[in-house]
Amino acid sequence: MPATLKFQDITVPVPGFGAMGFSQSYGPADDAVSKKTLAHAIDIGCTFWDTAVVYGKGHNETLIGETLRDLKARDKVFVASKCGFECFGGGEGLGTVTNKPAHIAEYIEGTKQRLGFYPDLYYLHRIDPTTPLEESIPALQKLKTDGKVKYIGLSECSAATLRKACSIAHIDALQIEYSPWHTDHEENGLIDAARELGVSIIAYSPLGKGILSGQYRSVDDFPEGDIRRTIPRFQGENFAKNMRIVDEFGRLAEKKGCTPSQLALAWVVAQGAIPIPGTRTAARLDENFGARGVELSEEELKELRVLIETAKPVGNRYGEAHMAMVGR
Ligand SMILES: NC(=O)c1ccc[n+]([C@@H]2O[C@H](COP(=O)([O-])OP(=O)(O)OC[C@H]3O[C@@H](n4cnc5c(N)ncnc54)[C@H](OP(=O)(O)O)[C@@H]3O)[C@@H](O)[C@H]2O)c1
């Protein structure tokens, strides 16, 4: 696979890196270990990073900010963050989705405070149907014209939203769940719209939230409090049925002489999307970044496509509350 992909007017190293797991969703993390993983990412040149205000409610941005300050490495890393959840109101959960101009203007300053700098790219994490795009997109675009961020993006929106947003201002990035384990956006018009409109595609959960690695065989393999315990795709019979694609994937990786995670990442890059796999450890980071050594032939891509089309996972990719927030 290519070692870089085009992102708007620059090229960036692929795979990138998603930092969410340092703060939430996949079991506990240790800040000291997380910082070592981030330092290692810089050492190996894995420098296209993804965070969000909501990840640990500021914790993730703070961790990245402290690491880059300690290493004096801000200029070595492209940092993307996201607003769109009113997440500092107390209580459990992500908080309310909001795209109000006042929220965008306020949250970017909090992001700057925690990171120590404005991010390169700022997304709306989810679409708030109560705020018209005619209000939210100009507010996001203003961050660009004010020179605070270089690029703006949307995450998990619908194709119609992306098209309308692009008619108001150029959207630089679309972040979507995209992997051999989740290809719905190839069919609902979103990926087509992004390509047509010149929007760079960033693939989150490119390992299918870890499942394509082949390291998880049952819901009991996830620690207490792990979000995957609430996701239909990882429950009971669904999980058992979904082992088919995982096992087949493992077989193809073995044939290829790479790990299943590397195969998944090489496939995503072959679709022209920038994957941002997340891991808490430097060892797995090395493995994931090692996907750049994996070249997939036309024949192998065809074989993978047949598997993807015939072994689609069973069950939703999120629980009910979260499903209601995507694709708007
Ligand atoms: N825009 C959005 O709404 C959205 C949603 C979700 C995620 N994201 C972003 O996308 C990033 C990646 O997504 P993700 O973390 O959900 O999913 P992912 O990258 O598909 O998978 C992460 C999971 O896989 C495990 N893992 C990573 N590399 C592995 C390897 N080589 N072998 C075995 N297991 C491995 C990780 O555990 P360990 O930590 O134990 O290695 C973690 O449990 C996030 O960090 C975040 O920045 C965005």
Side-chain angles (χ1 to χ4, degrees), residues 17-21 26 50-51 55 82 125-126 155-156 175 204-210 213 215-216 228 261 276-281 284 287-288 318:
F17 183 77
M20 181 180 75
Y26 303 137
D50 185 74
T51 179
Y55 297 162
K82 319 179 193 80
H125 207 150
R126 290 289 180 271
S155 165
E156 283 291 344
Q175 188 167 137
Y204 81 74
S205 301
L207 306 174
K209 299 185 166 58
S213 70
Q215 301 290 316
Y216 308 92
R228 291 168 291 196
S261 300
I276 47 166
T279 178
R280 291 165 295 182
T281 69
R284 284 182 173 173
E287 177 188 340
N288 296 345
Y318 281 121

Side-chain angles (χ1 to χ4, degrees), residues 294-313:
V294 178
E295 292 297 336
L296 294 175
S297 67
E298 284 303 314
E299 209 44 51
E300 287 164 335
L301 283 168
K302 268 192 211 149
E303 198 175 356
L304 281 167
R305 181 54 74 176
V306 170
L307 171 60
I308 288 164
E309 297 305 327
T310 54
K312 297 255 183 202

Side-chain angles (χ1 to χ4, degrees), residues 23 51-63 87-88 114:
S23 304
T51 179
V53 178
V54 78
Y55 297 162
K57 300 185 180 181
H59 173 262
N60 210 255
E61 289 184 334
T62 301
L63 190 80
C87 61
F88 295 114
R114 287 180 291 275

Side-chain angles (χ1 to χ4, degrees), residues 122-140:
Y122 213 47
Y123 296 92
L124 292 180
H125 207 150
R126 290 289 180 271
I127 302 302
D128 156 21
T130 68
T131 304
L133 292 171
E134 289 83 351
E135 291 177 22
S136 56
I137 300 303
L140 199 58

Side-chain angles (χ1 to χ4, degrees), residues 214-225:
Q215 301 290 316
Y216 308 92
R217 309 291 309 177
S218 109
V219 76
D220 298 329
D221 290 339
F222 303 135
E224 219 37 64

